[in-house]
Amino acid sequence: MFQLSKLKIIEQIIEEWIYCYPSRTLSQEKIEILKEQHYQNLRDDMRGVVSGIVSAPAWICREIDLEEGANWFLVVATCLDLIHSNKEGKIITKYTDHFHNNLG
């Protein structure tokens, strides 16, 4: 139950970020929530906890150029990369690299 409500909060933050187009900014507090979720996802993945492999909504996947059915682990990592890429003015893959390195 807790995991589901946490996922809803993450979804609402990402939805807010998507709807802020073209600026796509979030408060530092909301970015920190996404980062905390990302690092929790990495810890969960290493421990074999699979709650994050639930598929994200198709429209969110389309908005961030992921295949429909992408899991929440990848969605959160991709959003963080996009947020930081926008802030830095260059492509950042730090968070998706964590995700891919963890799987490899």
Side-chain angles (χ1 to χ4, degrees):
M1 180 64 184
F2 173 72
Q3 188 63 30
L4 192 61
S5 60
K6 196 172 182 185
L7 201 54
K8 200 67 187 156
I9 292 167
I10 298 300
E11 183 175 346
Q12 288 169 347
I13 291 171
I14 290 172
E15 191 174 308
E16 175 187 333
W17 173 72
I18 287 171
Y19 285 133
C20 285
Y21 189 82
S23 66
R24 285 199 172 158
T25 57
L26 280 175
S27 69
Q28 195 57 43
E29 180 183 14
K30 289 180 180 173
I31 292 170
E32 288 303 316
I33 291 170
L34 291 178
K35 283 183 185 176
E36 285 174 26
Q37 184 62 47
H38 171 72
Y39 289 111
Q40 184 61 52
N41 289 346
L42 290 175
R43 286 189 297 274
D44 287 351
D45 187 50
M46 287 190 290
R47 290 193 334 254
V49 177
V50 292
S51 58
I53 62 171
V54 173
S55 296
W59 74 270
I60 289 178
C61 296
R62 284 192 302 271
E63 285 290 329
I64 60 173
D65 292 328
L66 290 176
E67 286 186 32
E68 288 184 23
N71 65 45
W72 278 107
F73 282 10
L74 187 56
V75 168
V76 171
T78 300
C79 287
L80 283 167
D81 280 346
L82 291 169
I83 289 166
H84 288 286
S85 295
N86 191 26
K87 194 182 293 185
E88 298 292 322
K90 62 182 180 182
I91 303 296
I92 306 288
T93 60
K94 173 183 173 181
Y95 296 96
T96 50
D97 287 349
H98 288 163
F99 181 70
H100 292 302
N101 291 342
N102 218 34
L103 293 177

